[in-house]
């Protein structure tokens, strides 16, 4: 798969950007639909996908929505060329309150 975030130099930010894009696309949702499902505003989702905003509250909300841990979202996800994600390996985590 080609890098969806070539404009981002920082590898962590680039990974977060790519993961946000891949997870949304794999779920088959538009930004508007994801916004309705998560409560994250559409412009914030756009900022995340464009590498401009990675607020921990929003990352945590996306992780809960997709069944990931915060640790998972900071790692490159196993994404194939068609953006189908392999199920994440289970990892123990403590819910953030």
């Amino acid at each position: 798969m080609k890098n969806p975030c070539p404009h981002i130099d920082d590898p962590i930010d680039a990974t977060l950007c790519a993961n946000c894009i891949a997870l949304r696309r794999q779920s088959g949702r538009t930004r508007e639909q994801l916004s309705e499902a998560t409560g994250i505003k559409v412009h914030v989702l756009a900022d995340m996908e464009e590498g401009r905003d990675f607020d921990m509250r929003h990352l945590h909300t996306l992780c809960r929505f997709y069944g990931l841990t915060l640790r998972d979202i900071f790692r490159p996800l196993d994404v194939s060329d068609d953006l189908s994600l392999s199920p994440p390996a289970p990892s123990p985590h403590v819910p953030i309150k």
Side-chain angles (χ1 to χ4, degrees), residues 10-24 34 38 40 45 48-49 53-79 85 88-89 91 93 96:
D10 181 81
I12 293 172
D13 287 350
T15 296
L16 288 171
C17 171
N19 288 348
C20 288
I21 292 169
L23 288 165
R24 182 181 58 77
L34 185 58
T38 62
I40 301 171
L45 293 170
M48 292 173 79
E49 290 185 6
D53 175 22
F54 297 114
D55 183 287
M56 288 302 292
R57 293 171 299 153
H58 299 133
L59 287 173
H60 184 247
T61 298
L62 287 180
C63 286
R64 283 193 325 234
F65 181 77
Y66 290 120
L68 301 171
T69 65
L70 283 171
R71 181 180 297 171
D72 296 330
I73 200 99
F74 281 94
R75 296 180 181 160
L77 296 173
D78 183 14
V79 181
L85 300 177
S91 59
H93 67 282
I96 297 175

